[in-house]
């Protein structure tokens, strides 16, 4: 059984060797390692070329920068393995990860296999315990979500049958942040056989300077747009439990609402830009129910939610006034 590992690479020279060493030194050897250099401007390409010369299982693809989804799709077109594992180039895997995966695939004979991971907090240089150490016997994708104590919709925490992906023509949405959520929500209802093992096989690096933590005007807009795309996707999904979709949808609305407040309060944005984004997002935030504790002791938040439902201009004015008052009190 051949495992194809697709690793998009973009300006990760500081982390790339650790990632590649963990892959090429696996105890299981029948691997195809596809490195997609997504227009790196540091020396990531040179590092890839160095490993290419040392390991004939490596295939190096070079392309203009187009983002993570485009790079994964580019690699996906070239795979020849039976199963595909998408690994991020700033993360790494345990030495026997692929052997455990192959043994499990032979045992469960499933289209998709999930596993647990370990968080590495870069700023603190600390590791978490194994996240969601849970085993799920072979079931459907919909039941898998229901049985999961903690459904982590990440592409790198699953391996996918090439036949399954090809049958449904599944790929990653271009220019989409949180592309893993979009990808797995799109495909999980189609999965007839999936299992999960409780092994922690993947080290996930949590970086403080990632795009999802950046508060620049451009990134705030990208994040809001990506969550809106997810909310729109949810309206088309009919093969995943509706209760899960409702809970997830409400959670995404809450995130959009908080990002919108950051955007409105940002000094980088003009009044016209603030007003435009409020008007654009308002239809998607209707029906958002915050957890009771969030508003229990905050008349301000309760009032703001009411003004957003009633008037975009009133929401903009109220939030600006509230923030100004808080700064004056400080």
């Amino acid at each position: 059984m051949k495992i194809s590992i697709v690793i998009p690479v973009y300006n990760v020279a500081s982390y790339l060797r650790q990632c590649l060493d963990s892959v090429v030194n696996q105890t299981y050897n029948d691997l195809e390692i596809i490195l997609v250099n997504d227009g790196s401007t540091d020396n990531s390409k040179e590092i890839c070329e160095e490993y290419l010369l040392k390991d004939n299982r490596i295939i190096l693809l070079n392309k203009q920068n187009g983002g993570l989804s485009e790079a994964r799709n580019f690699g996906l077109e070239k795979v020849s393995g039976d199963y595909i594992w998408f690994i991020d180039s700033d993360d790494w895997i345990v030495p026997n990860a692929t052997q455990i995966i192959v043994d499990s695939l032979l045992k469960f004979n499933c289209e998709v296999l999930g596993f647990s991971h370990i968080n590495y907090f870069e700023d603190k240089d600390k590791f978490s315990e194994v996240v969601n150490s849970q085993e799920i016997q072979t079931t459907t994708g919909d039941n898998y979500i229901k049985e999961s104590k903690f459904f982590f919709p990440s592409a790198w925490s699953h391996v996918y049958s090439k036949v399954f992906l090809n049958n449904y023509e599944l790929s990653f949405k271009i220019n989409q942040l949180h592309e893993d959520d979009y990808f797995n929500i799109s495909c999980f209802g189609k999965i007839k056989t999936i299992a999960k093992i409780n092994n922690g096989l993947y080290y996930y690096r949590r970086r403080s300077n990632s795009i999802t933590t950046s508060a620049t005007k451009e990134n705030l807009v990208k994040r809001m747009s990506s969550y809106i795309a997810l909310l729109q996707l949810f309206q088309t999904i009919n093969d995943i439990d509706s209760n899960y979709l409702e809970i997830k949808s409400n959670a995404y609305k809450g995130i959009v609402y908080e990002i919108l407040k950051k955007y409105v309060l940002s000094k980088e944005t003009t009044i016209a830009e603030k007003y435009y984004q409020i008007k654009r997002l308002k239809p998607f935030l209707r029906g958002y129910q915050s957890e009771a504790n969030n508003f229990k002791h905050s008349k301000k938040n309760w009032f703001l939610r009411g003004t957003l439902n009633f008037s975009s201009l009133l929401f903009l004015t109220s939030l600006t006034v509230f923030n100004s008052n808080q700064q004056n009190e400080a």
Side-chain angles (χ1 to χ4, degrees):
M1 181 185 295
K2 180 188 283 188
I3 305 295
S4 293
I5 296 177
V6 177
I7 307 177
V9 176
Y10 178 69
N11 289 356
V12 285
S14 301
Y15 309 113
L16 187 53
R17 292 182 188 279
Q18 183 179 28
C19 175
L20 296 183
D21 284 341
S22 75
V23 173
V24 300
N25 293 321
Q26 286 292 297
T27 57
Y28 183 81
N29 292 319
D30 194 4
L31 305 177
E32 175 183 65
I33 306 166
I34 299 179
L35 308 181
V36 183
N37 173 40
D38 190 32
S40 296
T41 57
D42 64 359
N43 65 326
S44 293
K45 179 184 177 183
E46 287 71 24
I47 294 173
C48 290
E49 290 171 340
E50 173 191 328
Y51 279 77
L52 176 66
L53 293 175
K54 295 189 295 186
D55 196 318
N56 61 12
R57 298 172 300 174
I58 292 178
I59 299 170
L60 175 58
L61 306 175
N62 293 297
K63 61 181 291 295
Q64 291 184 339
N65 179 250
L68 180 60
S69 290
E70 190 175 296
R72 282 176 172 172
N73 291 342
F74 195 67
L76 187 58
E77 293 174 0
K78 311 296 181 183
V79 298
S80 63
D82 303 292
Y83 284 84
I84 302 162
W85 190 2
F86 300 99
I87 293 178
D88 289 348
S89 52
D90 54 349
D91 300 330
W92 70 102
I93 57 178
V94 302
N96 60 342
T98 49
Q99 183 65 65
I100 292 172
I101 285 172
V102 168
D103 291 343
S104 300
L105 288 170
L106 292 172
K107 173 184 176 182
F108 293 111
N109 189 28
C110 52
E111 296 170 315
V112 179
L113 179 75
F115 43 85
S116 302
H117 69 279
I118 300 161
N119 289 319
Y120 172 65
F121 300 95
E122 185 178 58
D123 56 342
K124 300 177 182 177
D125 191 24
K126 289 186 178 180
F127 294 89
S128 72
E129 299 294 327
V130 175
V131 178
N132 188 26
S133 182
Q134 178 190 10
E135 185 171 305
I136 299 176
Q137 297 297 313
T138 306
T139 185
T140 65
D142 186 30
N143 284 332
Y144 181 91
I145 294 174
K146 294 175 185 176
E147 291 185 36
S148 295
K149 296 175 183 176
F150 175 69
F151 177 54
F152 198 67
S154 168
W156 48 253
S157 61
H158 301 83
V159 293
Y160 305 84
S161 159
K162 180 185 176 183
V163 172
F164 168 73
L165 294 184
N166 286 346
N167 282 347
Y168 291 100
E169 299 181 341
L170 292 164
S171 61
F172 291 88
K173 188 174 187 296
I174 304 299
N175 297 324
Q176 170 77 29
L177 298 182
H178 316 290
E179 58 284 314
D180 290 15
D181 295 48
Y182 198 100
F183 177 77
N184 273 335
I185 293 299
S186 299
C187 82
F188 260 67
K190 301 172 179 62
I191 299 172
K192 295 180 178 64
T193 54
I194 180 173
K196 182 181 182 298
I197 56 177
N198 59 11
N199 305 71
L201 304 183
Y202 191 97
Y203 289 102
Y204 175 49
R205 186 186 303 271
R206 291 191 173 272
R207 297 160 60 184
S208 58
N209 62 341
S210 68
I211 191 170
T212 55
T213 59
S214 172
T216 65
K217 177 174 71 173
E218 292 76 17
N219 281 336
L220 290 174
V221 171
K222 285 181 182 178
R223 291 180 63 197
M224 289 187 292
S225 297
S226 291
Y227 279 115
I228 292 305
L230 282 164
L231 291 172
Q232 291 174 321
L233 173 67
F234 281 14
Q235 295 173 2
T236 70
I237 297 293
N238 55 18
D239 51 14
I240 291 180
D241 179 63
S242 59
N243 290 329
Y244 169 78
L245 291 176
E246 183 178 352
I247 292 170
K248 197 73 173 175
S249 176
N250 194 62
Y252 286 152
K253 288 178 182 179
I255 295 172
V256 172
Y257 178 63
E258 293 302 322
I259 299 174
L260 177 61
K261 289 201 298 185
K262 286 184 181 179
Y263 183 85
V264 172
L265 295 175
S266 171
K267 295 180 180 178
E268 294 183 41
T269 54
T270 66
I271 295 295
E273 288 172 328
K274 298 174 199 281
Y275 185 68
Y276 170 77
Q277 291 298 335
I278 294 170
K279 290 272 289 183
R280 183 174 78 96
L281 300 179
K282 183 178 175 180
F284 296 99
L285 296 178
R286 288 198 183 102
Y288 161 53
Q289 299 295 323
S290 174
E291 293 182 9
N293 288 340
N294 289 359
F295 291 159
K296 190 173 182 180
H297 303 295
S298 177
K299 292 180 180 178
K300 180 191 79 171
N301 276 333
W302 176 84
F303 178 76
L304 285 172
R305 282 291 300 124
T307 60
L308 180 59
N309 287 329
F310 179 70
S311 165
S312 301
L313 185 58
L314 184 57
F315 175 77
L316 171 59
T317 305
S318 300
L319 184 57
T320 305
V321 170
F322 275 130
N323 184 63
S324 177
N325 289 341
Q326 283 184 334
Q327 290 180 338
N328 291 337
E329 290 174 4

